[in-house]
Amino acid sequence: RQWRYEQARFLFERGEIRREYPQLVSILEGILRDYPEDQTSRILLASSHEAAGNLRLAIKEYQEALARDPENLDLVVAAVAAM
């Protein structure tokens, strides 16, 4: 799991989100299928959707992350910013 997450993070940080987006989403969705409690991957997926302009999907993932960790103020701020 960690290796796949690091691969996704690398793709995200390269700053070529439009080109890397399909692969990035595929990696992160795969991780979340296997480990639905993985908040780090869920937040990166939400950030990836947001960076690609898919705000509806970003908000959905932020809401899911918030449902799992409602006290996380960083998530609240990110979710509100995506709206």
Side-chain angles (χ1 to χ4, degrees):
R1 164 175 60 169
Q2 187 63 34
W3 182 85
R4 291 187 292 167
Y5 172 79
E6 292 300 330
Q7 183 183 18
R9 191 171 61 90
F10 173 77
L11 291 173
F12 182 81
E13 290 178 355
R14 283 190 359 185
E16 299 177 18
I17 193 71
R18 292 284 181 194
R19 189 168 64 90
E20 308 289 4
Y21 182 68
Q23 183 180 5
L24 183 56
V25 169
S26 177
I27 292 168
L28 293 168
E29 286 180 344
I31 293 170
L32 290 169
R33 263 191 306 279
D34 296 338
Y35 305 96
E37 76 288 347
D38 185 344
Q39 285 288 83
T40 306
S41 293
R42 187 169 309 282
I43 293 165
L44 183 57
L45 179 58
S47 298
S48 299
H49 286 315
E50 184 177 3
N54 292 322
L55 298 183
R56 183 182 60 78
L57 293 174
I59 292 167
K60 175 186 166 284
E61 292 301 333
Y62 283 130
Q63 287 174 332
E64 178 65 29
L66 278 169
R68 294 172 183 273
D69 186 8
E71 302 299 317
N72 187 328
L73 293 179
D74 291 333
L75 275 175
V76 173
V77 170
V80 169
M83 294 178 181

